[in-house]
Amino acid sequence: MRRSSVYFAAALGALLLLASAAALFMTSHKSAPVVVTAGGETPEASVQQSLALIKAGDFADFWKHALPPADFDTLRADWARPRPDEQPISPEDRADFIKNVQQLTEPGAENKLYALARPKLNQLEQQYHDQLPVMIGIGQAIAATGVAQSKELTNPQKQQATEVINVLAPWAQQVPWFDQAKAKQAIAVAVATARQLDLKTPEALRSMNFDTAMQKYSTGFLGIKQVLSIYGLSIDDTLDSVRVTTLENRNGHARVRIDYTLLGKPLSTESSLIEQDGRWYSDDMLQNVRDAHDRLVAPPAPASSAQAPAAPASAATPLQTSTKPPASNAAGTKH
């Protein structure tokens, strides 16, 4: 989070784009409360319930459903483990965090931040109105290159991510980011969300237990959905468009196709599932959670290999899973 409201709005916009991509696979067609069970009776049922839980922002029950009971218990236990690669919080970062939170949550924050944003929005529009589409196009190319070079994504995941980027970038080029009425609405949502999160220090982010972290993620996600809707991207419309079809199911392994519409563009992806104890789970997600646990409990490297570069930690989402995101994650430092 940066020190001026307009820069915060720009950073939030980037976060929202990422969050919308992560949310593409969510859907629910029921208004009744979801009964949470571990896994699904069929591959389709497993995917559909996962999507319903994420759409509702119910991340605690999402993990309870997405993992076999033993793996879910391991995830919760891992939450309190210290992260060997977690960096200490510098006095400067701590001061910035506290100052920004105070600006977002103090009485009258909505009006104060909007008053700061108005002249800056006018200035930015004059400076970057013609350049912004070009800058977004450059960002699109950089993002696509990063996806193509990723060693963590599978080829189907790379293709899916590239397709999403290619839909979101033209939308972002046409969004009226400097519109003051929309900015006022977005600031109001950001302030309300920050107040609900009620995180006053960076230490509070690191000390959250699993249940508290999931509640905070839910609050942040619902706020993100509201802001995206203000700028013309309805996550709920995308979520409601999802259709799941089983392509293959044999010997405890299944493959499903997930079709959905993003900003009017039909897209699809595939997901592999595995059967355990008569229930179906995402194969990639389950393996990622188990790999993250193995890395967490692995003994320290011997001194002779101390100079070897450490593998980079990746932020966790319900679709690309690690047990905890890095400390700089805006949603929190524990996953």
Side-chain angles (χ1 to χ4, degrees):
M1 190 184 305
R2 299 186 182 180
R3 301 186 182 185
S4 74
S5 58
V6 67
Y7 290 146
F8 168 75
L12 179 61
L15 173 62
L16 298 178
L17 289 177
L18 296 175
S20 63
L24 292 176
F25 310 107
M26 311 177 227
T27 189
S28 172
H29 302 288
K30 299 180 181 180
S31 57
V34 178
V35 178
V36 179
T37 57
E41 294 183 357
T42 66
E44 287 186 23
S46 178
V47 173
Q48 288 168 345
Q49 185 155 353
S50 290
L51 305 179
L53 289 166
I54 305 177
K55 179 183 178 182
D58 190 346
F59 296 112
D61 280 344
F62 167 83
W63 288 113
K64 185 176 181 180
H65 165 72
L67 299 174
D71 291 277
F72 177 68
D73 291 341
T74 298
L75 178 66
R76 289 176 63 89
D78 283 348
W79 203 268
R81 292 179 181 273
R83 266 46 189 177
D85 58 347
E86 194 168 64
Q87 299 298 315
I89 301 169
S90 70
E92 294 81 6
D93 288 342
R94 188 177 192 278
D96 282 347
F97 182 95
I98 293 173
K99 180 179 178 180
N100 289 323
V101 168
Q102 289 174 344
Q103 287 180 335
L104 278 168
T105 58
E106 66 181 340
E110 301 93 330
N111 294 331
K112 293 177 182 178
L113 291 173
Y114 179 59
L116 290 173
R118 288 185 62 185
K120 294 182 182 296
L121 287 170
N122 286 330
Q123 179 183 356
L124 289 173
E125 183 170 23
Q126 293 174 3
Q127 291 180 343
Y128 298 110
H129 177 76
D130 295 330
Q131 300 179 38
L132 188 59
V134 176
M135 295 167 63
I136 292 175
I138 294 173
Q140 176 184 4
I142 293 173
T145 300
V147 167
Q149 296 178 350
S150 172
K151 297 181 180 180
E152 297 181 356
L153 299 177
T154 65
N155 287 333
Q157 289 171 339
K158 290 181 179 181
Q159 179 180 352
Q160 170 65 15
T162 300
E163 290 176 350
V164 169
I165 291 170
N166 290 340
V167 172
L168 290 178
W171 164 76
Q173 288 174 324
Q174 299 176 9
V175 169
W177 296 114
F178 307 121
D179 182 272
Q180 294 194 5
K182 293 184 183 299
K184 186 174 184 179
Q185 296 178 60
I187 289 171
V189 172
V191 168
T193 301
R195 288 171 176 162
Q196 292 176 33
L197 287 172
D198 192 27
L199 294 170
K200 297 179 174 59
T201 67
E203 289 83 2
L205 293 174
R206 294 190 176 185
S207 62
M208 290 189 298
N209 61 29
F210 177 85
D211 293 328
T212 301
M214 295 304 104
Q215 292 171 2
K216 302 300 185 184
Y217 287 177
S218 176
T219 298
F221 175 71
L222 296 177
I224 285 171
K225 288 210 299 182
Q226 291 182 62
V227 174
L228 280 174
S229 180
I230 291 170
Y231 288 99
L233 195 161
S234 171
I235 288 183
D236 284 345
D237 286 351
T238 298
L239 310 185
D240 290 338
S241 72
V242 176
R243 297 294 180 269
V244 184
T245 306
T246 299
L247 302 176
E248 186 178 4
N249 183 351
R250 59 182 177 180
N251 301 325
H253 294 269
R255 185 167 52 91
V256 301
R257 185 179 70 242
I258 303 171
D259 296 298
Y260 62 97
T261 302
L262 175 63
L263 293 168
K265 304 293 184 181
L267 298 174
S268 66
T269 187
E270 294 185 6
S271 179
S272 296
L273 292 93
I274 188 171
E275 186 179 20
Q276 292 197 8
D277 298 325
R279 309 293 292 179
W280 289 91
Y281 305 91
S282 165
D283 193 6
D284 286 342
M285 187 178 303
L286 184 55
Q287 189 60 51
N288 287 342
V289 168
R290 290 174 175 176
D291 288 346
H293 171 72
D294 290 342
R295 291 192 298 270
L296 190 62
V297 300
S304 60
S305 61
Q307 312 230 345
S314 60
T317 70
L319 300 176
Q320 291 179 309
T321 311
S322 165
T323 56
K324 251 182 218 185
S328 60
N329 193 316
T333 59
K334 292 187 177 181
H335 168 70

